[in-house]
Amino acid sequence: MTSPPVNDEHRIDAALFRHLVDRSAIPLVGSGAASLLVGASLAGTAHQTLAFAWVAAVFLVIAIRVWLVRRCQARIARDGYRAAEAHRFAATTGLSGLIWGCAGLGVLNNASPESLVVIITSIQAMTMGGALTLAAFPVAFYAFSLPAMVPLIGALALKGDTTGTVLAIFSSIMFVLIARVAKEFNGSLRNAWQMTFERTDLLEALQQSHDRQANLANTDGLTGIANRRRFDDLLEREAVRLQRTGEPLSLLLMDVDHFKAYNDTYGHLAGDECLKRVAEVFQAMLSRRSDLAARYGGEEFAAILTETDHRGALQVAEQIRTGVEALGIAHRSAATAPHVTVSLGVVTLDGREPKTPAQAIALADRELYRAKREGRNRIAAWSGSGDIAETA
Ligand SMILES: Nc1nc2c(ncn2[C@@H]2O[C@H](COP(=O)(O)OP(=O)(O)OP(=O)(O)O)[C@@H](O)[C@H]2O)c(=O)[nH]1
């Protein structure tokens, strides 16, 4: 019902990565907006030029990431999920992390207290945002957050004053908590996808089982062709359609000649084999997808030929009759021929003279027994225009 664990893991990885790539605009917009904020906070200070160059670098990395995201999306659509693609994606989040790490190093560079607050808050906010937006792929989260946070914590610790030390400890605790949130969030996402896949697999298995049952309920166990139930269903529908469209509809009823004698001579198992081979020919001669060949019961077969006029139905019936003869199945106790033969009753309805399915079957049955009476191995036919007897 469910795939083996390795496949499940791969499916979850793939789903999470697709989710991540498809939503990658959010962290990119966040990174751009936060960098503008940091740049603005340093405008008019001694660090203005450096700050503007840094903002330009952030936007360059954003451009590289946008390009890579597009490439990832195209490759996933073409080849499916590949771990190598995910790691390339993580490498670019690492590039973003490095750029933000450089801002952290700026803390060392005697930034004003206001700028310090903006830089620290921005980097922590970016890391917190990363925990939510990159949690689907932890490698990408750490590739971003480690180079972003470590220089900041290091720079604060190396400032040598109490405020720096307190902020370094505070930032370290924040980072541990954020990493923990990312881990929990990743676990929740994985569980959600696991449940989604289990549900999809279950629905698929149920659908397959339902299709199998439906198929079994409509199939004849011995010959593998449709059974009477399916034949009756289709005939009901076709009879309704005939009234609506007036397109001709033909029915064939076929019976194996002297089949009791065949069973008595060769045994019941040989009789079964014979029915299977006859059924194959019966079905093979119906060329349209909309036609249906069915075992009507015992050694009797029935076919529905949709939109088929009387001439066409007679052609098909004759092909079936000669096809069964051509099988050359020996039948030494048959009075008709030294091999197995069949008789057929053919009926064509054209909608001008309404007939219920039961009436149509009764007509075909009447014709079949006329063919039997007239010597077997032949076709007897009826159409709305009168009786037509065909003989082999
Ligand atoms: N082996 C086998 N025999 C079957 C099966 N279904 C029906 N029969 C046999 O088919 C025979 C049909 O015999 P009858 O109805 O007397 O007809 P017939 O001997 O073919 O004679 P005509 O139809 O008049 O040519 C019976 O002996 C049934 O037992 C089946 O699934 N397998």
Side-chain angles (χ1 to χ4, degrees), residues 48-96:
Q48 174 172 303
T49 314
L50 205 59
F52 286 177
W54 177 82
V55 172
V58 169
F59 275 87
L60 180 66
V61 170
I62 289 174
I64 293 171
R65 287 186 61 188
V66 167
W67 168 76
L68 192 93
V69 162
R70 293 239 168 101
R71 205 181 77 148
C72 263
Q73 283 170 324
R75 289 203 171 178
I76 288 173
R78 198 188 60 203
D79 307 325
Y81 168 73
R82 296 245 173 94
E85 207 61 48
H87 286 99
R88 261 195 287 278
F89 177 88
T92 60
T93 61
L95 209 56
S96 267

mmCIF file of all heavy atoms in Angstrom, residues 48-96:
data_model
loop_
_atom_site.group_PDB
_atom_site.id
_atom_site.type_symbol
_atom_site.label_atom_id
_atom_site.label_comp_id
_atom_site.label_asym_id
_atom_site.label_seq_id
_atom_site.Cartn_x
_atom_site.Cartn_y
_atom_site.Cartn_z
ATOM 1 N N GLN A 48 28.844 55.126 4.601
ATOM 2 C CA GLN A 48 27.824 55.144 3.555
ATOM 3 C C GLN A 48 28.253 54.415 2.275
ATOM 4 O O GLN A 48 27.531 53.588 1.743
ATOM 5 C CB GLN A 48 27.487 56.609 3.235
ATOM 6 C CG GLN A 48 26.530 56.732 2.058
ATOM 7 C CD GLN A 48 26.047 58.167 1.889
ATOM 8 O OE1 GLN A 48 25.490 58.752 2.804
ATOM 9 N NE2 GLN A 48 26.281 58.727 0.712
ATOM 10 N N THR A 49 29.463 54.683 1.765
ATOM 11 C CA THR A 49 29.912 54.087 0.500
ATOM 12 C C THR A 49 29.961 52.574 0.617
ATOM 13 O O THR A 49 29.483 51.838 -0.244
ATOM 14 C CB THR A 49 31.313 54.626 0.139
ATOM 15 O OG1 THR A 49 31.282 56.041 0.331
ATOM 16 C CG2 THR A 49 31.671 54.283 -1.293
ATOM 17 N N LEU A 50 30.563 52.138 1.758
ATOM 18 C CA LEU A 50 30.678 50.688 1.995
ATOM 19 C C LEU A 50 29.280 50.057 2.057
ATOM 20 O O LEU A 50 29.048 48.976 1.496
ATOM 21 C CB LEU A 50 31.401 50.471 3.326
ATOM 22 C CG LEU A 50 32.140 49.145 3.484
ATOM 23 C CD1 LEU A 50 33.196 48.968 2.398
ATOM 24 C CD2 LEU A 50 32.780 49.079 4.873
ATOM 25 N N ALA A 51 28.368 50.781 2.737
ATOM 26 C CA ALA A 51 27.006 50.259 2.898
ATOM 27 C C ALA A 51 26.312 50.126 1.546
ATOM 28 O O ALA A 51 25.662 49.118 1.263
ATOM 29 C CB ALA A 51 26.198 51.179 3.814
ATOM 30 N N PHE A 52 26.491 51.137 0.677
ATOM 31 C CA PHE A 52 25.850 51.082 -0.639
ATOM 32 C C PHE A 52 26.427 49.935 -1.472
ATOM 33 O O PHE A 52 25.707 49.242 -2.196
ATOM 34 C CB PHE A 52 25.984 52.426 -1.371
ATOM 35 C CG PHE A 52 25.070 53.504 -0.795
ATOM 36 C CD1 PHE A 52 25.088 54.802 -1.292
ATOM 37 C CD2 PHE A 52 24.175 53.196 0.250
ATOM 38 C CE1 PHE A 52 24.243 55.785 -0.765
ATOM 39 C CE2 PHE A 52 23.339 54.172 0.787
ATOM 40 C CZ PHE A 52 23.376 55.466 0.283
ATOM 41 N N ALA A 53 27.763 49.756 -1.360
ATOM 42 C CA ALA A 53 28.402 48.645 -2.096
ATOM 43 C C ALA A 53 27.848 47.316 -1.590
ATOM 44 O O ALA A 53 27.585 46.387 -2.364
ATOM 45 C CB ALA A 53 29.917 48.688 -1.907
ATOM 46 N N TRP A 54 27.626 47.245 -0.283
ATOM 47 C CA TRP A 54 27.095 46.009 0.315
ATOM 48 C C TRP A 54 25.665 45.732 -0.190
ATOM 49 O O TRP A 54 25.333 44.610 -0.571
ATOM 50 C CB TRP A 54 27.133 46.134 1.842
ATOM 51 C CG TRP A 54 26.533 44.946 2.539
ATOM 52 C CD1 TRP A 54 27.149 43.765 2.795
ATOM 53 C CD2 TRP A 54 25.196 44.835 3.047
ATOM 54 N NE1 TRP A 54 26.287 42.902 3.421
ATOM 55 C CE2 TRP A 54 25.083 43.537 3.597
ATOM 56 C CE3 TRP A 54 24.108 45.685 3.092
ATOM 57 C CZ2 TRP A 54 23.915 43.079 4.182
ATOM 58 C CZ3 TRP A 54 22.938 45.226 3.682
ATOM 59 C CH2 TRP A 54 22.846 43.942 4.226
ATOM 60 N N VAL A 55 24.830 46.794 -0.224
ATOM 61 C CA VAL A 55 23.453 46.621 -0.717
ATOM 62 C C VAL A 55 23.496 46.129 -2.164
ATOM 63 O O VAL A 55 22.749 45.212 -2.565
ATOM 64 C CB VAL A 55 22.652 47.940 -0.612
ATOM 65 C CG1 VAL A 55 21.294 47.815 -1.304
ATOM 66 C CG2 VAL A 55 22.448 48.325 0.853
ATOM 67 N N ALA A 56 24.434 46.727 -2.963
ATOM 68 C CA ALA A 56 24.560 46.296 -4.367
ATOM 69 C C ALA A 56 24.930 44.815 -4.425
ATOM 70 O O ALA A 56 24.398 44.058 -5.252
ATOM 71 C CB ALA A 56 25.609 47.139 -5.088
ATOM 72 N N ALA A 57 25.824 44.379 -3.520
ATOM 73 C CA ALA A 57 26.241 42.965 -3.499
ATOM 74 C C ALA A 57 25.058 42.062 -3.143
ATOM 75 O O ALA A 57 24.890 40.978 -3.715
ATOM 76 C CB ALA A 57 27.389 42.777 -2.506
ATOM 77 N N VAL A 58 24.219 42.518 -2.178
ATOM 78 C CA VAL A 58 23.034 41.729 -1.795
ATOM 79 C C VAL A 58 22.141 41.525 -3.020
ATOM 80 O O VAL A 58 21.676 40.414 -3.311
ATOM 81 C CB VAL A 58 22.235 42.431 -0.665
ATOM 82 C CG1 VAL A 58 20.875 41.751 -0.455
ATOM 83 C CG2 VAL A 58 23.030 42.416 0.640
ATOM 84 N N PHE A 59 21.929 42.631 -3.787
ATOM 85 C CA PHE A 59 21.045 42.515 -4.961
ATOM 86 C C PHE A 59 21.665 41.655 -6.056
ATOM 87 O O PHE A 59 20.951 40.960 -6.794
ATOM 88 C CB PHE A 59 20.640 43.909 -5.458
ATOM 89 C CG PHE A 59 19.446 44.426 -4.697
ATOM 90 C CD1 PHE A 59 19.606 45.123 -3.496
ATOM 91 C CD2 PHE A 59 18.154 44.165 -5.152
ATOM 92 C CE1 PHE A 59 18.516 45.557 -2.768
ATOM 93 C CE2 PHE A 59 17.049 44.600 -4.428
ATOM 94 C CZ PHE A 59 17.225 45.288 -3.230
ATOM 95 N N LEU A 60 23.018 41.686 -6.137
ATOM 96 C CA LEU A 60 23.678 40.811 -7.124
ATOM 97 C C LEU A 60 23.415 39.340 -6.766
ATOM 98 O O LEU A 60 23.065 38.527 -7.620
ATOM 99 C CB LEU A 60 25.194 41.090 -7.133
ATOM 100 C CG LEU A 60 25.992 40.237 -8.115
ATOM 101 C CD1 LEU A 60 25.602 40.572 -9.561
ATOM 102 C CD2 LEU A 60 27.498 40.454 -7.915
ATOM 103 N N VAL A 61 23.548 39.027 -5.461
ATOM 104 C CA VAL A 61 23.303 37.641 -5.018
ATOM 105 C C VAL A 61 21.834 37.270 -5.254
ATOM 106 O O VAL A 61 21.525 36.153 -5.688
ATOM 107 C CB VAL A 61 23.699 37.465 -3.533
ATOM 108 C CG1 VAL A 61 23.213 36.122 -3.008
ATOM 109 C CG2 VAL A 61 25.203 37.574 -3.379
ATOM 110 N N ILE A 62 20.926 38.234 -5.015
ATOM 111 C CA ILE A 62 19.496 37.953 -5.251
ATOM 112 C C ILE A 62 19.292 37.605 -6.727
ATOM 113 O O ILE A 62 18.601 36.630 -7.066
ATOM 114 C CB ILE A 62 18.615 39.155 -4.838
ATOM 115 C CG1 ILE A 62 18.593 39.270 -3.316
ATOM 116 C CG2 ILE A 62 17.186 39.007 -5.383
ATOM 117 C CD1 ILE A 62 17.879 40.510 -2.781
ATOM 118 N N ALA A 63 19.957 38.380 -7.620
ATOM 119 C CA ALA A 63 19.817 38.117 -9.062
ATOM 120 C C ALA A 63 20.326 36.705 -9.386
ATOM 121 O O ALA A 63 19.686 35.961 -10.142
ATOM 122 C CB ALA A 63 20.585 39.166 -9.862
ATOM 123 N N ILE A 64 21.471 36.329 -8.791
ATOM 124 C CA ILE A 64 22.026 34.978 -9.045
ATOM 125 C C ILE A 64 21.034 33.918 -8.565
ATOM 126 O O ILE A 64 20.783 32.913 -9.236
ATOM 127 C CB ILE A 64 23.388 34.810 -8.328
ATOM 128 C CG1 ILE A 64 24.430 35.722 -8.967
ATOM 129 C CG2 ILE A 64 23.851 33.354 -8.369
ATOM 130 C CD1 ILE A 64 25.751 35.792 -8.204
ATOM 131 N N ARG A 65 20.421 34.185 -7.411
ATOM 132 C CA ARG A 65 19.497 33.182 -6.851
ATOM 133 C C ARG A 65 18.221 33.064 -7.697
ATOM 134 O O ARG A 65 17.703 31.967 -7.893
ATOM 135 C CB ARG A 65 19.158 33.523 -5.401
ATOM 136 C CG ARG A 65 20.347 33.241 -4.487
ATOM 137 C CD ARG A 65 20.007 33.428 -3.045
ATOM 138 N NE ARG A 65 18.945 32.542 -2.601
ATOM 139 C CZ ARG A 65 18.362 32.606 -1.418
ATOM 140 N NH1 ARG A 65 18.760 33.519 -0.558
ATOM 141 N NH2 ARG A 65 17.420 31.766 -1.087
ATOM 142 N N VAL A 66 17.739 34.222 -8.192
ATOM 143 C CA VAL A 66 16.548 34.175 -9.056
ATOM 144 C C VAL A 66 16.853 33.315 -10.285
ATOM 145 O O VAL A 66 16.077 32.438 -10.684
ATOM 146 C CB VAL A 66 16.116 35.598 -9.484
ATOM 147 C CG1 VAL A 66 15.090 35.553 -10.614
ATOM 148 C CG2 VAL A 66 15.565 36.358 -8.284
ATOM 149 N N TRP A 67 18.064 33.556 -10.868
ATOM 150 C CA TRP A 67 18.452 32.780 -12.064
ATOM 151 C C TRP A 67 18.505 31.284 -11.713
ATOM 152 O O TRP A 67 17.989 30.443 -12.445
ATOM 153 C CB TRP A 67 19.820 33.281 -12.543
ATOM 154 C CG TRP A 67 20.444 32.380 -13.567
ATOM 155 C CD1 TRP A 67 20.101 32.287 -14.886
ATOM 156 C CD2 TRP A 67 21.491 31.429 -13.343
ATOM 157 N NE1 TRP A 67 20.866 31.335 -15.505
ATOM 158 C CE2 TRP A 67 21.739 30.789 -14.583
ATOM 159 C CE3 TRP A 67 22.258 31.069 -12.228
ATOM 160 C CZ2 TRP A 67 22.700 29.811 -14.732
ATOM 161 C CZ3 TRP A 67 23.220 30.092 -12.380
ATOM 162 C CH2 TRP A 67 23.437 29.467 -13.612
ATOM 163 N N LEU A 68 19.098 30.963 -10.557
ATOM 164 C CA LEU A 68 19.245 29.546 -10.183
ATOM 165 C C LEU A 68 17.884 28.888 -9.897
ATOM 166 O O LEU A 68 17.658 27.731 -10.246
ATOM 167 C CB LEU A 68 20.161 29.395 -8.972
ATOM 168 C CG LEU A 68 20.518 27.930 -8.804
ATOM 169 C CD1 LEU A 68 21.807 27.595 -9.514
ATOM 170 C CD2 LEU A 68 20.577 27.525 -7.362
ATOM 171 N N VAL A 69 16.999 29.664 -9.273
ATOM 172 C CA VAL A 69 15.665 29.125 -8.963
ATOM 173 C C VAL A 69 14.949 28.757 -10.265
ATOM 174 O O VAL A 69 14.363 27.686 -10.402
ATOM 175 C CB VAL A 69 14.840 30.148 -8.152
ATOM 176 C CG1 VAL A 69 13.354 29.806 -8.193
ATOM 177 C CG2 VAL A 69 15.320 30.186 -6.707
ATOM 178 N N ARG A 70 15.058 29.672 -11.267
ATOM 179 C CA ARG A 70 14.416 29.382 -12.566
ATOM 180 C C ARG A 70 14.996 28.109 -13.165
ATOM 181 O O ARG A 70 14.290 27.269 -13.700
ATOM 182 C CB ARG A 70 14.660 30.555 -13.534
ATOM 183 C CG ARG A 70 13.955 31.810 -13.092
ATOM 184 C CD ARG A 70 12.988 32.282 -14.181
ATOM 185 N NE ARG A 70 12.112 33.302 -13.644
ATOM 186 C CZ ARG A 70 12.281 34.600 -13.854
ATOM 187 N NH1 ARG A 70 13.278 35.014 -14.591
ATOM 188 N NH2 ARG A 70 11.428 35.458 -13.339
ATOM 189 N N ARG A 71 16.357 27.994 -13.073
ATOM 190 C CA ARG A 71 17.023 26.815 -13.648
ATOM 191 C C ARG A 71 16.569 25.542 -12.928
ATOM 192 O O ARG A 71 16.294 24.520 -13.534
ATOM 193 C CB ARG A 71 18.540 26.978 -13.508
ATOM 194 C CG ARG A 71 19.305 26.179 -14.565
ATOM 195 C CD ARG A 71 20.774 26.348 -14.385
ATOM 196 N NE ARG A 71 21.220 25.517 -13.267
ATOM 197 C CZ ARG A 71 22.408 24.961 -13.191
ATOM 198 N NH1 ARG A 71 23.274 25.150 -14.158
ATOM 199 N NH2 ARG A 71 22.757 24.230 -12.170
ATOM 200 N N CYS A 72 16.491 25.655 -11.589
ATOM 201 C CA CYS A 72 16.029 24.508 -10.780
ATOM 202 C C CYS A 72 14.641 24.084 -11.224
ATOM 203 O O CYS A 72 14.383 22.897 -11.419
ATOM 204 C CB CYS A 72 15.913 24.916 -9.315
ATOM 205 S SG CYS A 72 17.314 24.497 -8.342
ATOM 206 N N GLN A 73 13.747 25.081 -11.373
ATOM 207 C CA GLN A 73 12.351 24.762 -11.733
ATOM 208 C C GLN A 73 12.302 24.064 -13.097
ATOM 209 O O GLN A 73 11.600 23.072 -13.267
ATOM 210 C CB GLN A 73 11.487 26.023 -11.751
ATOM 211 C CG GLN A 73 11.126 26.460 -10.351
ATOM 212 C CD GLN A 73 10.483 27.837 -10.296
ATOM 213 O OE1 GLN A 73 10.849 28.725 -11.063
ATOM 214 N NE2 GLN A 73 9.562 28.029 -9.373
ATOM 215 N N ALA A 74 13.117 24.580 -14.039
ATOM 216 C CA ALA A 74 13.130 23.977 -15.380
ATOM 217 C C ALA A 74 13.672 22.550 -15.312
ATOM 218 O O ALA A 74 13.125 21.642 -15.929
ATOM 219 C CB ALA A 74 13.981 24.829 -16.316
ATOM 220 N N ARG A 75 14.746 22.353 -14.541
ATOM 221 C CA ARG A 75 15.347 21.004 -14.473
ATOM 222 C C ARG A 75 14.442 20.009 -13.759
ATOM 223 O O ARG A 75 14.360 18.850 -14.136
ATOM 224 C CB ARG A 75 16.692 21.072 -13.754
ATOM 225 C CG ARG A 75 17.706 21.773 -14.623
ATOM 226 C CD ARG A 75 19.085 21.387 -14.241
ATOM 227 N NE ARG A 75 20.013 21.912 -15.236
ATOM 228 C CZ ARG A 75 21.295 21.777 -15.175
ATOM 229 N NH1 ARG A 75 21.837 21.120 -14.176
ATOM 230 N NH2 ARG A 75 22.070 22.266 -16.106
ATOM 231 N N ILE A 76 13.772 20.487 -12.688
ATOM 232 C CA ILE A 76 12.853 19.583 -11.965
ATOM 233 C C ILE A 76 11.712 19.176 -12.904
ATOM 234 O O ILE A 76 11.325 18.009 -12.964
ATOM 235 C CB ILE A 76 12.298 20.264 -10.691
ATOM 236 C CG1 ILE A 76 13.400 20.372 -9.651
ATOM 237 C CG2 ILE A 76 11.139 19.462 -10.109
ATOM 238 C CD1 ILE A 76 13.014 21.171 -8.427
ATOM 239 N N ALA A 77 11.209 20.181 -13.660
ATOM 240 C CA ALA A 77 10.108 19.859 -14.585
ATOM 241 C C ALA A 77 10.579 18.853 -15.630
ATOM 242 O O ALA A 77 9.828 17.979 -16.049
ATOM 243 C CB ALA A 77 9.609 21.143 -15.252
ATOM 244 N N ARG A 78 11.841 18.974 -16.047
ATOM 245 C CA ARG A 78 12.360 18.094 -17.114
ATOM 246 C C ARG A 78 12.777 16.728 -16.575
ATOM 247 O O ARG A 78 12.372 15.701 -17.095
ATOM 248 C CB ARG A 78 13.537 18.785 -17.790
ATOM 249 C CG ARG A 78 13.882 18.190 -19.153
ATOM 250 C CD ARG A 78 15.162 18.770 -19.698
ATOM 251 N NE ARG A 78 16.276 18.499 -18.799
ATOM 252 C CZ ARG A 78 17.390 19.202 -18.762
ATOM 253 N NH1 ARG A 78 17.534 20.250 -19.526
ATOM 254 N NH2 ARG A 78 18.376 18.874 -17.942
ATOM 255 N N ASP A 79 13.603 16.719 -15.489
ATOM 256 C CA ASP A 79 14.223 15.454 -15.032
ATOM 257 C C ASP A 79 13.680 14.951 -13.699
ATOM 258 O O ASP A 79 14.106 13.906 -13.225
ATOM 259 C CB ASP A 79 15.747 15.643 -14.843
ATOM 260 C CG ASP A 79 16.394 16.221 -16.079
ATOM 261 O OD1 ASP A 79 15.934 15.879 -17.176
ATOM 262 O OD2 ASP A 79 17.360 17.005 -15.944
ATOM 263 N N GLY A 80 12.798 15.727 -13.054
ATOM 264 C CA GLY A 80 12.365 15.333 -11.710
ATOM 265 C C GLY A 80 13.399 15.816 -10.684
ATOM 266 O O GLY A 80 14.412 16.430 -11.045
ATOM 267 N N TYR A 81 13.126 15.512 -9.417
ATOM 268 C CA TYR A 81 13.990 15.998 -8.331
ATOM 269 C C TYR A 81 15.341 15.299 -8.340
ATOM 270 O O TYR A 81 15.421 14.083 -8.512
ATOM 271 C CB TYR A 81 13.280 15.749 -7.002
ATOM 272 C CG TYR A 81 14.171 15.940 -5.792
ATOM 273 C CD1 TYR A 81 14.546 17.210 -5.387
ATOM 274 C CD2 TYR A 81 14.637 14.837 -5.076
ATOM 275 C CE1 TYR A 81 15.357 17.385 -4.283
ATOM 276 C CE2 TYR A 81 15.449 15.002 -3.965
ATOM 277 C CZ TYR A 81 15.810 16.279 -3.579
ATOM 278 O OH TYR A 81 16.619 16.435 -2.494
ATOM 279 N N ARG A 82 16.409 16.108 -8.176
ATOM 280 C CA ARG A 82 17.754 15.533 -8.024
ATOM 281 C C ARG A 82 18.407 16.210 -6.820
ATOM 282 O O ARG A 82 18.363 17.430 -6.683
ATOM 283 C CB ARG A 82 18.628 15.844 -9.250
ATOM 284 C CG ARG A 82 18.113 15.214 -10.521
ATOM 285 C CD ARG A 82 19.122 14.175 -11.032
ATOM 286 N NE ARG A 82 18.589 13.437 -12.158
ATOM 287 C CZ ARG A 82 18.816 13.775 -13.414
ATOM 288 N NH1 ARG A 82 19.573 14.804 -13.679
ATOM 289 N NH2 ARG A 82 18.307 13.063 -14.374
ATOM 290 N N ALA A 83 19.059 15.397 -5.964
ATOM 291 C CA ALA A 83 19.687 15.949 -4.754
ATOM 292 C C ALA A 83 20.751 16.980 -5.124
ATOM 293 O O ALA A 83 20.921 17.995 -4.436
ATOM 294 C CB ALA A 83 20.284 14.813 -3.926
ATOM 295 N N ALA A 84 21.475 16.768 -6.243
ATOM 296 C CA ALA A 84 22.554 17.687 -6.639
ATOM 297 C C ALA A 84 21.988 19.089 -6.883
ATOM 298 O O ALA A 84 22.617 20.096 -6.512
ATOM 299 C CB ALA A 84 23.230 17.163 -7.900
ATOM 300 N N GLU A 85 20.788 19.137 -7.478
ATOM 301 C CA GLU A 85 20.162 20.428 -7.761
ATOM 302 C C GLU A 85 19.843 21.139 -6.441
ATOM 303 O O GLU A 85 20.056 22.342 -6.296
ATOM 304 C CB GLU A 85 18.881 20.171 -8.550
ATOM 305 C CG GLU A 85 18.447 21.290 -9.457
ATOM 306 C CD GLU A 85 19.468 21.621 -10.524
ATOM 307 O OE1 GLU A 85 19.980 20.711 -11.198
ATOM 308 O OE2 GLU A 85 19.763 22.818 -10.653
ATOM 309 N N ALA A 86 19.357 20.362 -5.469
ATOM 310 C CA ALA A 86 19.019 20.921 -4.157
ATOM 311 C C ALA A 86 20.274 21.483 -3.485
ATOM 312 O O ALA A 86 20.237 22.548 -2.854
ATOM 313 C CB ALA A 86 18.387 19.836 -3.287
ATOM 314 N N HIS A 87 21.401 20.793 -3.633
ATOM 315 C CA HIS A 87 22.623 21.272 -2.991
ATOM 316 C C HIS A 87 23.173 22.524 -3.687
ATOM 317 O O HIS A 87 23.738 23.401 -3.037
ATOM 318 C CB HIS A 87 23.657 20.147 -2.902
ATOM 319 C CG HIS A 87 23.284 19.158 -1.833
ATOM 320 N ND1 HIS A 87 22.653 17.961 -2.119
ATOM 321 C CD2 HIS A 87 23.358 19.230 -0.470
ATOM 322 C CE1 HIS A 87 22.400 17.328 -0.974
ATOM 323 N NE2 HIS A 87 22.822 18.084 0.043
ATOM 324 N N ARG A 88 22.960 22.621 -5.001
ATOM 325 C CA ARG A 88 23.356 23.858 -5.704
ATOM 326 C C ARG A 88 22.512 25.022 -5.182
ATOM 327 O O ARG A 88 23.006 26.117 -4.962
ATOM 328 C CB ARG A 88 23.153 23.696 -7.213
ATOM 329 C CG ARG A 88 24.463 23.345 -7.936
ATOM 330 C CD ARG A 88 24.324 23.537 -9.436
ATOM 331 N NE ARG A 88 23.501 22.500 -10.020
ATOM 332 C CZ ARG A 88 23.949 21.291 -10.330
ATOM 333 N NH1 ARG A 88 25.218 20.976 -10.123
ATOM 334 N NH2 ARG A 88 23.163 20.393 -10.850
ATOM 335 N N PHE A 89 21.226 24.741 -4.962
ATOM 336 C CA PHE A 89 20.329 25.766 -4.422
ATOM 337 C C PHE A 89 20.838 26.208 -3.040
ATOM 338 O O PHE A 89 20.920 27.397 -2.733
ATOM 339 C CB PHE A 89 18.914 25.197 -4.318
ATOM 340 C CG PHE A 89 17.917 26.136 -3.720
ATOM 341 C CD1 PHE A 89 17.216 27.033 -4.513
ATOM 342 C CD2 PHE A 89 17.667 26.132 -2.350
ATOM 343 C CE1 PHE A 89 16.293 27.903 -3.950
ATOM 344 C CE2 PHE A 89 16.756 27.005 -1.781
ATOM 345 C CZ PHE A 89 16.056 27.897 -2.590
ATOM 346 N N ALA A 90 21.230 25.212 -2.219
ATOM 347 C CA ALA A 90 21.728 25.527 -0.871
ATOM 348 C C ALA A 90 22.999 26.369 -0.954
ATOM 349 O O ALA A 90 23.238 27.249 -0.117
ATOM 350 C CB ALA A 90 21.989 24.227 -0.102
ATOM 351 N N ALA A 91 23.822 26.117 -1.996
ATOM 352 C CA ALA A 91 25.068 26.889 -2.130
ATOM 353 C C ALA A 91 24.756 28.371 -2.322
ATOM 354 O O ALA A 91 25.462 29.240 -1.791
ATOM 355 C CB ALA A 91 25.871 26.356 -3.313
ATOM 356 N N THR A 92 23.655 28.680 -3.044
ATOM 357 C CA THR A 92 23.342 30.101 -3.247
ATOM 358 C C THR A 92 22.739 30.733 -1.991
ATOM 359 O O THR A 92 22.920 31.913 -1.750
ATOM 360 C CB THR A 92 22.390 30.328 -4.439
ATOM 361 O OG1 THR A 92 21.194 29.627 -4.165
ATOM 362 C CG2 THR A 92 22.995 29.887 -5.731
ATOM 363 N N THR A 93 22.034 29.910 -1.185
ATOM 364 C CA THR A 93 21.569 30.500 0.084
ATOM 365 C C THR A 93 22.798 30.769 0.955
ATOM 366 O O THR A 93 22.827 31.721 1.737
ATOM 367 C CB THR A 93 20.578 29.578 0.836
ATOM 368 O OG1 THR A 93 21.217 28.365 1.162
ATOM 369 C CG2 THR A 93 19.337 29.305 0.042
ATOM 370 N N GLY A 94 23.837 29.914 0.779
ATOM 371 C CA GLY A 94 25.101 30.136 1.509
ATOM 372 C C GLY A 94 25.732 31.461 1.101
ATOM 373 O O GLY A 94 26.282 32.188 1.933
ATOM 374 N N LEU A 95 25.622 31.787 -0.204
ATOM 375 C CA LEU A 95 26.168 33.052 -0.703
ATOM 376 C C LEU A 95 25.435 34.222 -0.030
ATOM 377 O O LEU A 95 26.055 35.199 0.413
ATOM 378 C CB LEU A 95 25.952 33.088 -2.227
ATOM 379 C CG LEU A 95 26.933 33.869 -3.066
ATOM 380 C CD1 LEU A 95 28.359 33.386 -2.820
ATOM 381 C CD2 LEU A 95 26.581 33.700 -4.555
ATOM 382 N N SER A 96 24.115 34.106 0.071
ATOM 383 C CA SER A 96 23.316 35.139 0.762
ATOM 384 C C SER A 96 23.770 35.258 2.214
ATOM 385 O O SER A 96 23.928 36.361 2.749
ATOM 386 C CB SER A 96 21.839 34.747 0.778
ATOM 387 O OG SER A 96 21.173 35.283 -0.297
#
